[in-house]
Amino acid sequence: MPRNRVEIMHGVNLDQLGRRNPEHYGGLTFDQLEQRIAEMGRELGLTTRFFQTNHEGRFVEHLHDLEGLADGIVLNPGAWTHYSWAIHDALEIAALPAVEVHLSDVANREPWRRVSVISDLCIATVSGQGVDGYRVALERLREELSR
Ligand code: DQA
């Protein structure tokens, strides 16, 4: 059976895209971002499913519930990336190949954004490439899932 089911998980404040600083996050609304990612997934032969929440516990529980439903994860947890050890542990429990994505160039912003508590569990991290970063992430995940 092909492994092609990718869960796209967005965390806190990502639903507010379109209202956030376009210099960092671009001009797309969140709906437009999700549509673009779905198109990219189709082009790559991947099935994408989407989840967004502003509640850390829901994000954690969604990771708990992925067993049997997804083959890989693309996640952008927003600010939780930088401090949520709860999400780190839930990602470890999910035990699926995961790619971390950030729209903005987190390495070249405030120092606190340079820390990621999930990157050790991810096969790759993509940041600073805007929406195109999701294509890079999907391609990397597809390569991993085809092994
Ligand atoms: C973000 C970067 C985070 O530092 C920030 O808190 C976000 C979005 C990004 O996509 O660039 O909310 O993850």
Side-chain angles (χ1 to χ4, degrees):
M1 200 169 113
R3 296 194 302 151
N4 64 357
R5 298 167 303 172
V6 180
E7 196 75 9
I8 312 290
M9 294 185 62
H10 285 106
V12 62
N13 293 318
L14 269 306
D15 61 330
Q16 299 300 308
L17 283 179
R19 298 176 64 192
R20 301 186 70 179
N21 186 342
E23 277 178 31
H24 291 305
Y25 301 114
L28 294 187
T29 65
F30 185 61
D31 284 349
Q32 289 167 337
L33 176 72
E34 286 197 330
Q35 280 167 24
R36 292 284 300 277
I37 298 169
E39 279 164 23
M40 292 169 187
R42 275 193 295 277
E43 285 161 18
L44 293 167
L46 298 168
T47 303
T48 47
R49 203 176 73 146
F50 292 86
F51 178 78
Q52 191 278 330
T53 182
N54 292 317
H55 301 272
E56 186 180 1
R58 290 205 191 122
F59 199 92
V60 162
E61 287 179 351
H62 196 80
L63 286 166
H64 292 172
D65 294 341
L66 282 185
E67 191 171 20
L69 298 176
D71 302 307
I73 308 170
V74 168
L75 76 168
N76 179 351
W80 291 327
T81 306
H82 312 301
Y83 64 86
S84 176
W85 292 104
I87 289 174
H88 171 277
D89 287 353
L91 187 57
E92 189 168 36
I93 292 165
L96 291 170
V99 179
E100 171 185 357
V101 178
H102 302 287
L103 290 159
S104 67
D105 185 6
V106 284
N108 288 299
R109 296 181 62 190
E110 302 91 326
W112 58 270
R113 292 188 204 270
R114 290 183 203 144
V115 176
S116 167
V117 299
I118 59 166
S119 58
D120 64 314
L121 296 172
C122 293
I123 59 170
T125 297
V126 183
S127 74
Q129 298 188 46
V131 64
D132 293 340
Y134 288 85
R135 185 186 297 279
V136 175
L138 289 168
E139 284 170 352
R140 180 67 189 81
L141 205 48
R142 186 176 71 156
E143 183 190 311
E144 184 71 19
L145 294 176
S146 67
R147 282 182 189 189

